[in-house]
Every structure is written in C-alpha cells, then in structure tokens.
Amino acid sequence: MRRPLVAGNWKMNGSLESVRSLLDGIKRGIGDVKSAELAVCPPCVFIPEVQKLLSGSDIAWGGQDLSTESSGAFTGEISASMLNDFACKYVIVGHSERRSYHAESDQQVASKYAVARAAGLIPILCIGETLEEREAGTTNEIVARQLDAVIDLEGIDALANGVIAYEPVWAIGTGMTATPEQAQEVHAFIRGRVAAKSGSVAQGLRILYGGSMKPDNARELIGKPDIDGGLIGGASLKAEDFLGICTAAD
Ligand code: 13P
C-alpha cells in the first residue's frame, strides 16, 4: 500500500505572519488526519521559520526548487545542502511555472532530480501537458518525454520510492480541474511506463495529482487507483481547505 501524500506548494505567497497562522491552523486540525502524509513547501526564506514551527510534528517540509550546482557564483540560487541545513525532506523539481517562466528544460529538471536525490532529499517531479498539447492529443507523449528525461539520466531506480506530480498546466490555478477519469488515465499511463521497466518501482511510486484540487473534488480524485495524493497550490494557503484535502486523502 502506498501511503497518500498531500503536499502544499505555497509558491510565492505569504508573510512571516501568515505562515505562522497557517501552520498554527494546520497543526490544530492535523489530529483528524489519520493515514495521509503531509508536507508544505514554502518560499525558501520562510523555511527556517517553518522548521522551527514544525519540528517534532508529523508534517514534513521542503523547497520549491534547487540548483544543480553545489555552491559558487549563482546569484539567487539555493543548493541541496542549504535545504538539508534546514532539514527539508522534499523538494519540488520541474514545476510548470519553472519550466515556462525560467525556461527549464527536461534535461535541467532531470539534473535537479539527480542532485536532490544524491543529497538525500526526495524530489517531487512535476510533469504535465499544456492545453494545446492536450487538444492536439499529445498528452502521453509529453509526459513520457518529461519522465524519460529522468529515467535516461539516472535509470529506473531513480524512481524507487519516488514522487511524481502530474499537473496538467491548464488545470493549475484556473479552477479547471481534470476530471478524476482524465487524471486517472494519465496516472495509469505514467505508472505503466515505469512498470515496463520495473514492476516494483512502479508499485512504490507515489503519483500525486495537482491542478485546482480542493476539498470538494479531492476525494473523488484521490479515490482513483493510481492517484496517491495531491500537490496543492491555492487551497494549501488556507488551513481549513488544506486539511479538508488531507482528510479526503485518508
Ligand atoms: P493550484 O492548486 O492553485 O491549481 O496549483 C497547483 C500547483 O501548481 C501545485 O504545484
């Protein structure tokens, strides 16, 4: 059995004050969450505060991105060891906002995935198609290409106990959630592609859905056999909504 994971991607939102009250709300409500694993990925400047507030709790935390480099003249970048200094468990790699606004290629994302793993972090690999790609019928081709970049660089074992987030770009922040059937179809495709190389890796791989997931659609989505949780944007900024998704994942 794969343990469901619900991770909040806070993106570039919040203040020190809002981080404190959000985590306070989540910690107060977490007693209702029985089996799902929870994580939050704050903007990096808030990670020390998040560590302070969540240490000793059952909630993990992580970064939203990392550099492929270990140190040096890379203004604005954050290394894997810096994330480790603040006890991050996870790091998101290849979010569609990084791919589109920062022109990250599949190969760069694969390198980030490899660097994160080598440092002992668990990368959450984001993949997904745009609306044009879906309408052109190339969804599987796109997610296969994004997935294969990691497998080609590192081999199939790179996905052992891994986490992938299928995030259709057209569903992110738009309120246009993929239907549970649409999402399940792609999740099954992803797992099948991994299973063709290793059945055991495919069995252990958690595939999260991301894109306008809310408390009222989470249960149906996560109820599908190949959907193992969610990567949540907007709804992770409200304790009640985030907890609503977490209890649905139970
Ligand atoms: P929304 O939940 O706001 O659609 O964002 C999803 C996402 O991009 C999570 O990484």
Side-chain angles (χ1 to χ4, degrees), residues 9 11 95 97 167 171-174 210-213 231-235:
N9 174 8
K11 307 193 179 182
H95 192 279
E97 287 146 21
E167 300 206 313
I172 295 176
T174 58
S212 300
M213 196 188 266
L231 183 59
I232 321 300

Side-chain angles (χ1 to χ4, degrees), residues 109-173:
V109 172
S111 299
K112 289 185 175 196
Y113 188 98
V115 165
R117 261 176 39 91
L121 295 157
I122 301 175
I124 300 175
L125 172 69
C126 298
I127 59 178
E129 81 289 359
T130 63
L131 186 59
E132 297 73 51
E133 289 161 345
R134 171 160 286 262
E135 285 173 347
T138 56
T139 298
N140 288 355
E141 196 182 305
I142 299 298
V143 299
R145 192 197 71 211
Q146 294 170 332
L147 181 63
D148 288 356
V150 169
I151 300 172
D152 291 348
L153 182 68
E154 283 244 281
I156 196 66
D157 286 340
L159 294 172
N161 302 313
V163 182
I164 288 178
Y166 167 59
E167 300 206 313
V169 179
W170 49 272
I172 295 176

Side-chain angles (χ1 to χ4, degrees), residues 11-161:
K11 307 193 179 182
M12 194 175 73
N13 290 295
S15 62
L16 206 42
E17 201 186 331
S18 73
V19 165
R20 288 175 181 147
S21 67
L22 175 55
L23 291 183
D24 186 51
I26 294 173
K27 277 161 65 178
R28 265 193 274 162
I30 197 180
D32 296 333
V33 182
K34 299 291 174 255
S35 60
E37 183 185 357
L38 272 56
V40 294
C41 297
C44 62
V45 291
F46 297 137
I47 291 177
E49 183 70 11
V50 168
Q51 178 188 21
K52 206 165 77 189
L53 295 171
L54 293 185
S55 288
S57 79
D58 286 332
I59 309 167
W61 57 94
Q64 295 180 6
D65 182 38
L66 85 170
S67 174
T68 53
E69 304 295 331
S70 54
S71 67
F74 302 100
T75 303
E77 297 286 280
I78 303 287
S79 72
S81 71
M82 292 171 187
L83 295 174
N84 272 329
D85 273 350
F86 294 93
C88 287
K89 179 173 182 184
Y90 292 101
V91 60
I92 297 169
V93 298
H95 192 279
S96 65
E97 287 146 21
R98 302 284 323 168
R99 291 180 190 263
S100 66
Y101 305 145
H102 300 270
E104 289 188 11
S105 67
D106 294 334
Q107 284 65 36
Q108 272 173 305
V109 172
S111 299
K112 289 185 175 196
Y113 188 98
V115 165
R117 261 176 39 91
L121 295 157
I122 301 175
I124 300 175
L125 172 69
C126 298
I127 59 178
E129 81 289 359
T130 63
L131 186 59
E132 297 73 51
E133 289 161 345
R134 171 160 286 262
E135 285 173 347
T138 56
T139 298
N140 288 355
E141 196 182 305
I142 299 298
V143 299
R145 192 197 71 211
Q146 294 170 332
L147 181 63
D148 288 356
V150 169
I151 300 172
D152 291 348
L153 182 68
E154 283 244 281
I156 196 66
D157 286 340
L159 294 172
N161 302 313

